[in-house]
Amino acid sequence: MPNQSPYSLGPHGEMNGSDVLVQVETPSGTGNYVTVGSQRGVTFAETTNPIDMSSKEDRRGFFNPGRWGSTISFEYLYIASASGYARLKAASRDGEYVRLKRLERGVGIETAECVVTSISEAAPDQDAVVVSADFQLNGGWTVVP
């Protein structure tokens, strides 16, 4: 059966790489998450801050792994409706967490609770509006059972 979701890449849900959906709890506090957008271009980044264990007695640096973090940047975020964009902006302005859901071949593989760290839009004359957004993971990814 063809996938009728506006977030699928092909008529039968084909994808190239991972799909990432942006979901916002609607209304807030209910546990009901609504998909408000998906990526057209996404970058995943992970960092580990080093803890300097060096001493003054040795010129060489010695480091232990410190705090791990992950960010997700959507260069082009596809949002199917104005109400979805309004809900994402409200989550950003109100300091609400959003949920990102990563899918492969249309099947959810992991989710993450995130903070919206930036959201912007470019509205060129006689062209489509482009929305970009950045997210900071709160904790890490959770595998979907």
Side-chain angles (χ1 to χ4, degrees), residues 67-94:
R67 188 160 288 137
W68 175 89
S70 182
T71 58
I72 296 96
S73 297
F74 291 86
E75 298 169 43
Y76 304 102
L77 184 58
Y78 173 73
I79 300 178
S81 69
S83 63
Y85 182 58
R87 186 65 190 98
L88 182 59
K89 281 190 349 186
S92 175
R93 291 176 179 173
D94 297 341

PDB file of all heavy atoms in Angstrom, residues 67-94:
ATOM      1  N   ARG A  67      31.902  15.459  28.723  1.00  0.00           N
ATOM      2  CA  ARG A  67      30.473  15.485  28.399  1.00  0.00           C
ATOM      3  C   ARG A  67      30.234  15.307  26.907  1.00  0.00           C
ATOM      4  O   ARG A  67      30.861  15.946  26.083  1.00  0.00           O
ATOM      5  CB  ARG A  67      29.887  16.818  28.867  1.00  0.00           C
ATOM      6  CG  ARG A  67      28.387  16.879  28.764  1.00  0.00           C
ATOM      7  CD  ARG A  67      27.785  17.946  29.629  1.00  0.00           C
ATOM      8  NE  ARG A  67      27.874  17.523  31.023  1.00  0.00           N
ATOM      9  CZ  ARG A  67      28.232  18.314  32.020  1.00  0.00           C
ATOM     10  NH1 ARG A  67      28.533  19.563  31.815  1.00  0.00           N
ATOM     11  NH2 ARG A  67      28.284  17.859  33.240  1.00  0.00           N
ATOM     12  N   TRP A  68      29.296  14.411  26.575  1.00  0.00           N
ATOM     13  CA  TRP A  68      28.911  14.133  25.195  1.00  0.00           C
ATOM     14  C   TRP A  68      27.681  14.960  24.860  1.00  0.00           C
ATOM     15  O   TRP A  68      26.804  15.176  25.704  1.00  0.00           O
ATOM     16  CB  TRP A  68      28.599  12.645  25.035  1.00  0.00           C
ATOM     17  CG  TRP A  68      28.071  12.252  23.686  1.00  0.00           C
ATOM     18  CD1 TRP A  68      28.803  11.880  22.601  1.00  0.00           C
ATOM     19  CD2 TRP A  68      26.708  12.194  23.266  1.00  0.00           C
ATOM     20  NE1 TRP A  68      27.993  11.591  21.539  1.00  0.00           N
ATOM     21  CE2 TRP A  68      26.680  11.781  21.927  1.00  0.00           C
ATOM     22  CE3 TRP A  68      25.489  12.463  23.879  1.00  0.00           C
ATOM     23  CZ2 TRP A  68      25.517  11.622  21.199  1.00  0.00           C
ATOM     24  CZ3 TRP A  68      24.326  12.310  23.161  1.00  0.00           C
ATOM     25  CH2 TRP A  68      24.347  11.886  21.830  1.00  0.00           C
ATOM     26  N   GLY A  69      27.588  15.432  23.630  1.00  0.00           N
ATOM     27  CA  GLY A  69      26.413  16.168  23.183  1.00  0.00           C
ATOM     28  C   GLY A  69      26.162  15.929  21.706  1.00  0.00           C
ATOM     29  O   GLY A  69      27.033  15.444  20.980  1.00  0.00           O
ATOM     30  N   SER A  70      24.944  16.240  21.288  1.00  0.00           N
ATOM     31  CA  SER A  70      24.581  16.050  19.895  1.00  0.00           C
ATOM     32  C   SER A  70      23.668  17.173  19.441  1.00  0.00           C
ATOM     33  O   SER A  70      22.779  17.596  20.194  1.00  0.00           O
ATOM     34  CB  SER A  70      23.889  14.696  19.712  1.00  0.00           C
ATOM     35  OG  SER A  70      23.582  14.483  18.352  1.00  0.00           O
ATOM     36  N   THR A  71      23.885  17.636  18.232  1.00  0.00           N
ATOM     37  CA  THR A  71      23.029  18.656  17.639  1.00  0.00           C
ATOM     38  C   THR A  71      22.542  18.164  16.281  1.00  0.00           C
ATOM     39  O   THR A  71      23.193  17.350  15.627  1.00  0.00           O
ATOM     40  CB  THR A  71      23.763  19.998  17.442  1.00  0.00           C
ATOM     41  OG1 THR A  71      24.909  19.786  16.617  1.00  0.00           O
ATOM     42  CG2 THR A  71      24.196  20.596  18.777  1.00  0.00           C
ATOM     43  N   ILE A  72      21.384  18.664  15.908  1.00  0.00           N
ATOM     44  CA  ILE A  72      20.814  18.353  14.607  1.00  0.00           C
ATOM     45  C   ILE A  72      20.477  19.676  13.949  1.00  0.00           C
ATOM     46  O   ILE A  72      19.830  20.531  14.558  1.00  0.00           O
ATOM     47  CB  ILE A  72      19.547  17.483  14.723  1.00  0.00           C
ATOM     48  CG1 ILE A  72      19.885  16.115  15.315  1.00  0.00           C
ATOM     49  CG2 ILE A  72      18.901  17.268  13.370  1.00  0.00           C
ATOM     50  CD1 ILE A  72      19.669  16.042  16.761  1.00  0.00           C
ATOM     51  N   SER A  73      20.941  19.856  12.719  1.00  0.00           N
ATOM     52  CA  SER A  73      20.677  21.092  11.974  1.00  0.00           C
ATOM     53  C   SER A  73      19.908  20.760  10.708  1.00  0.00           C
ATOM     54  O   SER A  73      20.339  19.915   9.920  1.00  0.00           O
ATOM     55  CB  SER A  73      21.988  21.785  11.590  1.00  0.00           C
ATOM     56  OG  SER A  73      22.689  22.174  12.748  1.00  0.00           O
ATOM     57  N   PHE A  74      18.777  21.412  10.553  1.00  0.00           N
ATOM     58  CA  PHE A  74      17.974  21.278   9.345  1.00  0.00           C
ATOM     59  C   PHE A  74      18.253  22.489   8.464  1.00  0.00           C
ATOM     60  O   PHE A  74      17.858  23.598   8.817  1.00  0.00           O
ATOM     61  CB  PHE A  74      16.478  21.234   9.686  1.00  0.00           C
ATOM     62  CG  PHE A  74      16.043  19.997  10.403  1.00  0.00           C
ATOM     63  CD1 PHE A  74      16.136  19.903  11.777  1.00  0.00           C
ATOM     64  CD2 PHE A  74      15.520  18.927   9.694  1.00  0.00           C
ATOM     65  CE1 PHE A  74      15.724  18.771  12.445  1.00  0.00           C
ATOM     66  CE2 PHE A  74      15.095  17.783  10.360  1.00  0.00           C
ATOM     67  CZ  PHE A  74      15.204  17.710  11.745  1.00  0.00           C
ATOM     68  N   GLU A  75      18.941  22.275   7.367  1.00  0.00           N
ATOM     69  CA  GLU A  75      19.204  23.370   6.448  1.00  0.00           C
ATOM     70  C   GLU A  75      17.911  23.788   5.747  1.00  0.00           C
ATOM     71  O   GLU A  75      17.698  24.962   5.494  1.00  0.00           O
ATOM     72  CB  GLU A  75      20.244  22.949   5.422  1.00  0.00           C
ATOM     73  CG  GLU A  75      21.581  22.599   6.042  1.00  0.00           C
ATOM     74  CD  GLU A  75      22.502  21.938   5.044  1.00  0.00           C
ATOM     75  OE1 GLU A  75      22.559  22.402   3.885  1.00  0.00           O
ATOM     76  OE2 GLU A  75      23.153  20.960   5.427  1.00  0.00           O
ATOM     77  N   TYR A  76      17.106  22.819   5.411  1.00  0.00           N
ATOM     78  CA  TYR A  76      15.815  23.059   4.777  1.00  0.00           C
ATOM     79  C   TYR A  76      14.799  22.178   5.484  1.00  0.00           C
ATOM     80  O   TYR A  76      14.865  20.968   5.391  1.00  0.00           O
ATOM     81  CB  TYR A  76      15.859  22.692   3.286  1.00  0.00           C
ATOM     82  CG  TYR A  76      16.935  23.414   2.532  1.00  0.00           C
ATOM     83  CD1 TYR A  76      18.114  22.774   2.203  1.00  0.00           C
ATOM     84  CD2 TYR A  76      16.769  24.749   2.178  1.00  0.00           C
ATOM     85  CE1 TYR A  76      19.113  23.443   1.522  1.00  0.00           C
ATOM     86  CE2 TYR A  76      17.767  25.421   1.501  1.00  0.00           C
ATOM     87  CZ  TYR A  76      18.941  24.764   1.173  1.00  0.00           C
ATOM     88  OH  TYR A  76      19.920  25.430   0.508  1.00  0.00           O
ATOM     89  N   LEU A  77      13.888  22.789   6.192  1.00  0.00           N
ATOM     90  CA  LEU A  77      12.882  22.056   6.942  1.00  0.00           C
ATOM     91  C   LEU A  77      11.561  22.159   6.205  1.00  0.00           C
ATOM     92  O   LEU A  77      11.073  23.262   5.940  1.00  0.00           O
ATOM     93  CB  LEU A  77      12.764  22.663   8.343  1.00  0.00           C
ATOM     94  CG  LEU A  77      11.844  22.007   9.352  1.00  0.00           C
ATOM     95  CD1 LEU A  77      12.250  20.556   9.582  1.00  0.00           C
ATOM     96  CD2 LEU A  77      11.884  22.765  10.665  1.00  0.00           C
ATOM     97  N   TYR A  78      11.002  21.004   5.834  1.00  0.00           N
ATOM     98  CA  TYR A  78       9.717  20.994   5.134  1.00  0.00           C
ATOM     99  C   TYR A  78       8.606  21.001   6.171  1.00  0.00           C
ATOM    100  O   TYR A  78       8.517  20.096   7.002  1.00  0.00           O
ATOM    101  CB  TYR A  78       9.590  19.754   4.246  1.00  0.00           C
ATOM    102  CG  TYR A  78       8.206  19.621   3.649  1.00  0.00           C
ATOM    103  CD1 TYR A  78       7.796  20.466   2.621  1.00  0.00           C
ATOM    104  CD2 TYR A  78       7.307  18.696   4.128  1.00  0.00           C
ATOM    105  CE1 TYR A  78       6.524  20.371   2.080  1.00  0.00           C
ATOM    106  CE2 TYR A  78       6.034  18.582   3.590  1.00  0.00           C
ATOM    107  CZ  TYR A  78       5.652  19.428   2.573  1.00  0.00           C
ATOM    108  OH  TYR A  78       4.391  19.334   2.054  1.00  0.00           O
ATOM    109  N   ILE A  79       7.774  22.036   6.148  1.00  0.00           N
ATOM    110  CA  ILE A  79       6.628  22.145   7.044  1.00  0.00           C
ATOM    111  C   ILE A  79       5.395  22.279   6.162  1.00  0.00           C
ATOM    112  O   ILE A  79       5.271  23.225   5.383  1.00  0.00           O
ATOM    113  CB  ILE A  79       6.760  23.334   8.014  1.00  0.00           C
ATOM    114  CG1 ILE A  79       8.025  23.152   8.857  1.00  0.00           C
ATOM    115  CG2 ILE A  79       5.525  23.450   8.893  1.00  0.00           C
ATOM    116  CD1 ILE A  79       8.306  24.281   9.820  1.00  0.00           C
ATOM    117  N   ALA A  80       4.477  21.318   6.288  1.00  0.00           N
ATOM    118  CA  ALA A  80       3.337  21.219   5.372  1.00  0.00           C
ATOM    119  C   ALA A  80       2.251  22.259   5.624  1.00  0.00           C
ATOM    120  O   ALA A  80       1.452  22.532   4.738  1.00  0.00           O
ATOM    121  CB  ALA A  80       2.730  19.823   5.443  1.00  0.00           C
ATOM    122  N   SER A  81       2.213  22.864   6.809  1.00  0.00           N
ATOM    123  CA  SER A  81       1.127  23.800   7.092  1.00  0.00           C
ATOM    124  C   SER A  81       1.612  24.981   7.926  1.00  0.00           C
ATOM    125  O   SER A  81       2.591  24.879   8.671  1.00  0.00           O
ATOM    126  CB  SER A  81      -0.007  23.091   7.848  1.00  0.00           C
ATOM    127  OG  SER A  81       0.420  22.764   9.157  1.00  0.00           O
ATOM    128  N   ALA A  82       0.884  26.087   7.804  1.00  0.00           N
ATOM    129  CA  ALA A  82       1.190  27.284   8.592  1.00  0.00           C
ATOM    130  C   ALA A  82       0.983  27.005  10.079  1.00  0.00           C
ATOM    131  O   ALA A  82       1.733  27.511  10.922  1.00  0.00           O
ATOM    132  CB  ALA A  82       0.332  28.457   8.139  1.00  0.00           C
ATOM    133  N   SER A  83      -0.005  26.184  10.409  1.00  0.00           N
ATOM    134  CA  SER A  83      -0.257  25.877  11.823  1.00  0.00           C
ATOM    135  C   SER A  83       0.896  25.059  12.415  1.00  0.00           C
ATOM    136  O   SER A  83       1.246  25.229  13.582  1.00  0.00           O
ATOM    137  CB  SER A  83      -1.593  25.150  11.993  1.00  0.00           C
ATOM    138  OG  SER A  83      -1.567  23.900  11.331  1.00  0.00           O
ATOM    139  N   GLY A  84       1.496  24.188  11.626  1.00  0.00           N
ATOM    140  CA  GLY A  84       2.652  23.431  12.090  1.00  0.00           C
ATOM    141  C   GLY A  84       3.834  24.336  12.372  1.00  0.00           C
ATOM    142  O   GLY A  84       4.529  24.182  13.381  1.00  0.00           O
ATOM    143  N   TYR A  85       4.061  25.302  11.497  1.00  0.00           N
ATOM    144  CA  TYR A  85       5.156  26.259  11.702  1.00  0.00           C
ATOM    145  C   TYR A  85       4.889  27.108  12.937  1.00  0.00           C
ATOM    146  O   TYR A  85       5.780  27.336  13.751  1.00  0.00           O
ATOM    147  CB  TYR A  85       5.346  27.130  10.465  1.00  0.00           C
ATOM    148  CG  TYR A  85       6.483  28.106  10.585  1.00  0.00           C
ATOM    149  CD1 TYR A  85       7.774  27.668  10.831  1.00  0.00           C
ATOM    150  CD2 TYR A  85       6.275  29.468  10.456  1.00  0.00           C
ATOM    151  CE1 TYR A  85       8.831  28.557  10.943  1.00  0.00           C
ATOM    152  CE2 TYR A  85       7.325  30.369  10.563  1.00  0.00           C
ATOM    153  CZ  TYR A  85       8.599  29.903  10.808  1.00  0.00           C
ATOM    154  OH  TYR A  85       9.633  30.774  10.932  1.00  0.00           O
ATOM    155  N   ALA A  86       3.653  27.542  13.103  1.00  0.00           N
ATOM    156  CA  ALA A  86       3.285  28.345  14.276  1.00  0.00           C
ATOM    157  C   ALA A  86       3.502  27.540  15.555  1.00  0.00           C
ATOM    158  O   ALA A  86       3.979  28.077  16.564  1.00  0.00           O
ATOM    159  CB  ALA A  86       1.835  28.807  14.171  1.00  0.00           C
ATOM    160  N   ARG A  87       3.182  26.254  15.524  1.00  0.00           N
ATOM    161  CA  ARG A  87       3.345  25.411  16.714  1.00  0.00           C
ATOM    162  C   ARG A  87       4.820  25.211  17.037  1.00  0.00           C
ATOM    163  O   ARG A  87       5.222  25.213  18.192  1.00  0.00           O
ATOM    164  CB  ARG A  87       2.648  24.064  16.489  1.00  0.00           C
ATOM    165  CG  ARG A  87       2.620  23.175  17.696  1.00  0.00           C
ATOM    166  CD  ARG A  87       1.785  23.784  18.825  1.00  0.00           C
ATOM    167  NE  ARG A  87       1.973  23.035  20.044  1.00  0.00           N
ATOM    168  CZ  ARG A  87       2.810  23.389  21.018  1.00  0.00           C
ATOM    169  NH1 ARG A  87       3.522  24.501  20.934  1.00  0.00           N
ATOM    170  NH2 ARG A  87       2.935  22.649  22.087  1.00  0.00           N
ATOM    171  N   LEU A  88       5.668  25.050  16.010  1.00  0.00           N
ATOM    172  CA  LEU A  88       7.102  24.902  16.228  1.00  0.00           C
ATOM    173  C   LEU A  88       7.694  26.191  16.796  1.00  0.00           C
ATOM    174  O   LEU A  88       8.498  26.159  17.732  1.00  0.00           O
ATOM    175  CB  LEU A  88       7.811  24.506  14.933  1.00  0.00           C
ATOM    176  CG  LEU A  88       9.312  24.268  15.021  1.00  0.00           C
ATOM    177  CD1 LEU A  88       9.639  23.154  16.015  1.00  0.00           C
ATOM    178  CD2 LEU A  88       9.874  23.940  13.649  1.00  0.00           C
ATOM    179  N   LYS A  89       7.297  27.340  16.253  1.00  0.00           N
ATOM    180  CA  LYS A  89       7.773  28.626  16.789  1.00  0.00           C
ATOM    181  C   LYS A  89       7.329  28.813  18.231  1.00  0.00           C
ATOM    182  O   LYS A  89       8.090  29.300  19.063  1.00  0.00           O
ATOM    183  CB  LYS A  89       7.275  29.790  15.928  1.00  0.00           C
ATOM    184  CG  LYS A  89       8.075  29.969  14.666  1.00  0.00           C
ATOM    185  CD  LYS A  89       7.826  31.227  13.858  1.00  0.00           C
ATOM    186  CE  LYS A  89       6.677  32.088  14.183  1.00  0.00           C
ATOM    187  NZ  LYS A  89       6.492  33.196  13.237  1.00  0.00           N
ATOM    188  N   ALA A  90       6.089  28.427  18.543  1.00  0.00           N
ATOM    189  CA  ALA A  90       5.588  28.553  19.915  1.00  0.00           C
ATOM    190  C   ALA A  90       6.403  27.680  20.865  1.00  0.00           C
ATOM    191  O   ALA A  90       6.738  28.104  21.981  1.00  0.00           O
ATOM    192  CB  ALA A  90       4.109  28.179  19.979  1.00  0.00           C
ATOM    193  N   ALA A  91       6.747  26.460  20.436  1.00  0.00           N
ATOM    194  CA  ALA A  91       7.566  25.582  21.270  1.00  0.00           C
ATOM    195  C   ALA A  91       8.928  26.213  21.529  1.00  0.00           C
ATOM    196  O   ALA A  91       9.450  26.157  22.648  1.00  0.00           O
ATOM    197  CB  ALA A  91       7.726  24.217  20.611  1.00  0.00           C
ATOM    198  N   SER A  92       9.499  26.841  20.512  1.00  0.00           N
ATOM    199  CA  SER A  92      10.787  27.511  20.664  1.00  0.00           C
ATOM    200  C   SER A  92      10.678  28.685  21.630  1.00  0.00           C
ATOM    201  O   SER A  92      11.472  28.818  22.560  1.00  0.00           O
ATOM    202  CB  SER A  92      11.284  27.994  19.300  1.00  0.00           C
ATOM    203  OG  SER A  92      12.466  28.734  19.438  1.00  0.00           O
ATOM    204  N   ARG A  93       9.687  29.532  21.440  1.00  0.00           N
ATOM    205  CA  ARG A  93       9.524  30.730  22.272  1.00  0.00           C
ATOM    206  C   ARG A  93       9.131  30.410  23.712  1.00  0.00           C
ATOM    207  O   ARG A  93       9.506  31.133  24.630  1.00  0.00           O
ATOM    208  CB  ARG A  93       8.473  31.647  21.640  1.00  0.00           C
ATOM    209  CG  ARG A  93       8.953  32.257  20.355  1.00  0.00           C
ATOM    210  CD  ARG A  93       7.888  33.084  19.695  1.00  0.00           C
ATOM    211  NE  ARG A  93       8.396  33.682  18.460  1.00  0.00           N
ATOM    212  CZ  ARG A  93       7.649  34.338  17.612  1.00  0.00           C
ATOM    213  NH1 ARG A  93       6.345  34.494  17.829  1.00  0.00           N
ATOM    214  NH2 ARG A  93       8.187  34.859  16.519  1.00  0.00           N
ATOM    215  N   ASP A  94       8.369  29.332  23.894  1.00  0.00           N
ATOM    216  CA  ASP A  94       7.881  28.970  25.229  1.00  0.00           C
ATOM    217  C   ASP A  94       8.821  28.035  25.975  1.00  0.00           C
ATOM    218  O   ASP A  94       8.535  27.628  27.101  1.00  0.00           O
ATOM    219  CB  ASP A  94       6.490  28.328  25.135  1.00  0.00           C
ATOM    220  CG  ASP A  94       5.447  29.286  24.585  1.00  0.00           C
ATOM    221  OD1 ASP A  94       5.680  30.511  24.615  1.00  0.00           O
ATOM    222  OD2 ASP A  94       4.396  28.802  24.106  1.00  0.00           O
TER     223      ASP A  94
END
